[in-house]
């Protein structure tokens, strides 16, 4: 029994250590602001999503950890300012962007700057106007059965009394049998 307890405690400790260990940041060449092999290391993170877009499409420009207004510029869209405290902004790629071309996007945060690439896909979107997003519809409340959602305190109290009472009666009966046996 002692070995099982020791093994369980060791496993629990290793799991906790795994979740609390710091994560090493390694550049992967995707221009995520943490290095891409070109000494493109900044104290703030940045990205362009999607990284491949057709001319006339919309891209989301994101910054993380920038304590200033971030300025994002490229030859394929107008300069965009992401205000301090906001994580992202969107912009439209110029219609005259050359299909298959690779454009550099520069993120400026204070005195630091970093860059990543934006690829223009071949072909053009068929509908340059944004498509309205349908309203969010609420689904059924599946999976809340047995939880405390919509609980009745009286029913919970009665259930607790019944459980405690049945455990008490079982204990009392087991004690009485031992007294009768002796």
């Amino acid at each position: 029994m002692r070995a099982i307890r020791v093994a369980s405690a060791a496993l629990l400790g290793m799991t906790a250590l795994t979740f609390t260990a710091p994560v090493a940041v390694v550049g992967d060449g995707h221009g995520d602001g943490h290095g891409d092999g070109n000494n493109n290391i900044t104290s703030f993170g940045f990205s362009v999503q999607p990284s491949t877009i057709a001319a006339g499409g919309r891209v989301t420009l994101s910054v993380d950890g920038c304590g200033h207004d971030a300025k994002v510029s490229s030859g394929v869209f107008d300069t965009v300012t992401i205000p301090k405290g906001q994580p992202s902004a969107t912009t439209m790629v110029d219609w005259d962007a050359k299909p298959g071309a690779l454009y550099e996007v520069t993120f400026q945060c204070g005195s630091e700057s970093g860059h990543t690439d934006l690829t223009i896909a071949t072909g053009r979107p068929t509908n340059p106007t944004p498509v309205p997003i349908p309203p969010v519809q609420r689904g059924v409340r599946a999976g809340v059965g047995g939880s405390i959602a919509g609980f009745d305190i009286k029913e919970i109290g009665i259930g607790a009394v019944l459980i405690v009472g049945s455990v008490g009666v079982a204990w009392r009966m087991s004690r009485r049998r031992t007294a009768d046996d002796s």
Side-chain angles (χ1 to χ4, degrees):
M1 278 308 263
R2 179 166 162 72
I4 293 174
R5 283 185 277 174
V6 170
S8 296
L11 185 60
L12 183 62
M14 290 303 293
T15 302
L17 182 63
T18 301
F19 287 123
T20 59
V23 177
V25 178
V26 177
D28 58 0
H30 291 97
D32 59 359
H34 296 292
D36 64 359
N38 294 326
N39 296 325
N40 191 26
I41 299 173
T42 62
S43 64
F44 65 98
F46 56 88
S47 68
V48 176
Q49 292 298 324
S51 61
T52 301
I53 188 84
R58 288 195 151 310
V59 292
T60 301
L61 310 168
S62 302
V63 293
D64 182 33
C66 179
H68 306 281
D69 287 352
K71 295 204 181 293
V72 186
S73 59
S74 178
V76 74
F77 56 79
D78 294 332
T79 299
V80 176
T81 300
I82 302 174
K84 176 182 174 181
Q86 283 191 0
S88 64
T90 59
T91 190
M92 191 168 89
V93 174
D94 294 339
W95 278 100
D96 60 350
K98 183 179 175 187
L102 191 68
Y103 289 89
E104 184 174 277
V105 180
T106 303
F107 289 81
Q108 180 79 30
C109 176
S111 61
E112 280 188 282
S113 68
H115 64 274
T116 188
D117 293 327
L118 176 64
T119 305
I120 305 302
T122 56
R124 297 187 185 274
T126 56
N127 184 8
T129 59
V131 177
I133 299 172
V136 176
Q137 295 181 358
R138 304 286 180 205
V140 297
R141 289 182 50 148
V144 295
S147 70
I148 61 170
F151 69 93
D152 180 14
I153 194 73
K154 189 188 314 179
E155 290 176 358
I156 291 176
I158 291 171
V161 167
L162 287 173
I163 291 171
V164 169
S166 63
V167 169
V169 167
W171 180 79
R172 176 82 173 152
M173 290 182 75
S174 69
R175 304 297 324 153
R176 184 177 292 173
R177 281 193 194 145
T178 0
D180 291 339
D181 290 340
S182 48

